[in-house]
Amino acid sequence: MSQANPVRGEAALRVNGVALVLRPTFAALVAAEEELGPLFALVERAAAGGLKLSEMAALFWHCLHGRPDGLTREAFSEGVASGGLAAATPALKVLLRQVLQGR
């Protein structure tokens, strides 16, 4: 897997020991919005401390670039959860910043 490119607004995330890249493309964000509702509301929930783990994992899943063969959404979500919120927060911040600023 390639490294995250911050110029592209990408974020790095390690799940089950595998380095992954999250790329918030227009298509990825539209897919996330279709599942999660308006992205600005998602940002507001995150800022208020009300973002659910399932919402974070869904946003990450939709933004996952170069998905490894055989990786299921369930395994990915379990890996995000087992890695802990502290490990996922930096990637979440990058993605939410991209929602607000755009690139």
Side-chain angles (χ1 to χ4, degrees):
M1 180 63 48
S2 62
Q3 290 187 320
N5 181 349
V7 175
R8 278 189 163 148
E10 295 175 346
L13 180 67
R14 186 166 289 280
V15 175
N16 297 328
V18 178
L20 301 172
V21 173
L22 304 177
R23 181 183 291 172
T25 63
F26 177 76
L29 294 177
V30 166
E33 192 169 50
E34 285 295 317
E35 179 178 342
L36 301 169
L39 293 179
F40 285 113
L42 183 82
V43 171
E44 288 176 346
R45 285 193 301 279
L51 187 68
K52 297 177 186 174
L53 177 59
S54 62
E55 292 175 314
M56 180 177 61
L59 177 63
F60 288 173
W61 178 256
H62 288 293
C63 292
L64 186 57
H65 177 71
R67 193 171 294 150
D69 290 338
L71 181 63
T72 65
R73 184 166 176 173
E74 182 179 354
F76 174 78
S77 298
E78 286 291 332
V80 169
S82 68
L85 293 177
T89 298
L92 179 63
K93 285 182 178 180
V94 169
L95 295 183
L96 295 179
R97 190 175 309 118
Q98 291 307 310
V99 168
L100 293 173
Q101 294 177 345
R103 284 236 178 215

